[in-house]
Amino acid sequence: MKMLNPQRRIRLERRIVGGTNRWRFPQEHFCGDLLALSQMCNVLNIDLDDALKNPDRLLISKFQKLLSETIANSGTESGEADVILECLGFKWELHHPQIFQSETLAKLYLTALMQNIKNPSRELNRILKAQAPKKIKEKSPVKKIIITLKVNDPAVTRVAFALALKNLYMNEVEMNVDNVLGVLASAHILQFNRLFQKCVNMMLSRLTPCTVKNFYLAGCKYMEEQLIVSCEKWLAMNLVPLVGTQIHLRHIPQHLLHKVLKSPSFPKKCCFLEQDTGQSWTPLFLCLRLHGITSGKDLEELRHINFFPESWLVRVTANHYHALENGGNMIHLKDLSTQALRFGLLFRQEYTTYSERISIYGYFFEIKGIRHDATSYSFSMQRIRHTDLECPSPICEHSAISLRTERLVKYEIRAQTMVDGRWQEFRTNQITQKFGFVKPGCKSHTLKIQTVGIPIYASFAFVFPAS
């Protein structure tokens, strides 16, 4: 009895390629034979550069072509499963023609085939013969191969994965908005391009206030540019009309909101409110106190968004310029109730004293709330010098500074809070007062309130009359 030498090298079969004496080993992808590789790519309709970058793709495409041609010629398909896929705690029985629609499953299968079988080429021939019509009623001579796929994407559920596998066998599988994200994730894991694009197309047609966030995040996660851009454009068109009713800012990713707000959301030739779809919204936006936007940078952002007519923003800018030239006089504002500039404080449970500093036309004020005891509060405002501000201070950066010692101000202070499901409201009268830098002339009247409600919303409304 002869003993085989375990160290003996296995003899490799050589394959003749082309019309000359060139040869290469069939178990290797190229073996340096670029002419043969080019010829193979032409037959399989694969780009040569892609084949050089991804040899597995070439092998998968070759195997898939051979299988599809054999099955097409036979006109039938074996009913018995060829592959067992272990994934997500389940065993899924699949067939050769289907697994080769998924690049992931195809790679797993070919890897298992190479490892478990001594002669993959011979086994390939057996697989192809097993698809012939005369073999259908016989037991498949091909041994079932078990492959394992590990999934780390939490979006891939068993139901979604099952739908993705079902799409390997059927062109029309019912999906809905509730499971499309899971199917998309499954198609990405499987590298099942036809299904992935099908999911993307469905998401593009189902953008709503409820879906835009998750669809956008999915586009970013899987680097699907078409979906990302569509979500951005949809939000740009719908943010203002639907905000607060159907779209809530806390549900929008911050970087998406920032990108949409900075983008020119509407055509440069015509702003939104001047378009047919936007004209019905004009009365609503006429109520906005755009003159309360005093920052040139903020006004420039509004101009960039191209939502408001240019004439509106020009008028606001001109009024600011006129007020600065006239020592702060807001001659374009007549009615304190509907036109006043407004600033506010949110006085919370943990505060004993809370204040903020504001700047308008070179004048600086501090608005303040004080808790005196468990139910007693007071709110007031006081003029301060620019030298009293901490430097550098955001409110005086690039800000004008008025040297006038007195400023006539017409103001009103309000406060409201919820108690037992009902709103309590407190307010001062409309007061006109000259504010200087010396007490008591630097401080406003004080709004004193008694309430058990918390938090308290305090607002300070004022205009600068001509003086």
Side-chain angles (χ1 to χ4, degrees), residues 335-364:
D335 185 9
L336 180 68
S337 301
T338 60
Q339 297 180 309
L341 302 183
R342 293 175 295 184
F343 296 87
L345 292 178
L346 180 59
F347 201 92
R348 302 181 183 276
Q349 174 70 39
E350 63 270 20
Y351 296 155
T352 54
T353 301
Y354 182 71
S355 65
E356 289 187 6
R357 292 176 173 180
I358 59 176
S359 168
I360 181 71
Y361 298 145
Y363 300 92
F364 301 90

Side-chain angles (χ1 to χ4, degrees), residues 364-416:
F364 301 90
F365 294 86
E366 181 179 47
I367 55 179
K368 180 182 292 187
I370 301 175
R371 183 206 300 268
H372 300 285
D373 55 43
T375 61
S376 179
Y377 304 84
S378 65
F379 297 91
S380 62
M381 69 179 188
Q382 177 177 334
R383 186 181 176 190
I384 58 176
R385 300 178 186 270
H386 70 278
T387 53
D388 296 334
L389 300 172
E390 297 178 1
C391 292
S393 173
I395 69 168
C396 66
E397 185 179 8
H398 308 300
S399 175
I401 298 175
S402 175
L403 299 179
R404 294 181 63 171
T405 57
E406 291 185 331
R407 173 68 258 173
L408 188 64
V409 181
K410 186 176 183 179
Y411 65 92
E412 180 183 48
I413 304 174
R414 295 187 178 191
Q416 54 186 332

Side-chain angles (χ1 to χ4, degrees), residues 47 88 140 166 222 249 394 403 431 439:
D47 186 81
L88 299 174
S140 175
K166 190 175 181 180
Y222 304 117
L249 297 182
L403 299 179
I431 302 169
K439 293 183 179 181

Side-chain angles (χ1 to χ4, degrees), residues 437-449:
F437 293 116
V438 181
K439 293 183 179 181
C442 65
K443 188 175 181 180
S444 71
H445 288 225
T446 300
L447 174 64
K448 297 180 180 180
I449 67 173

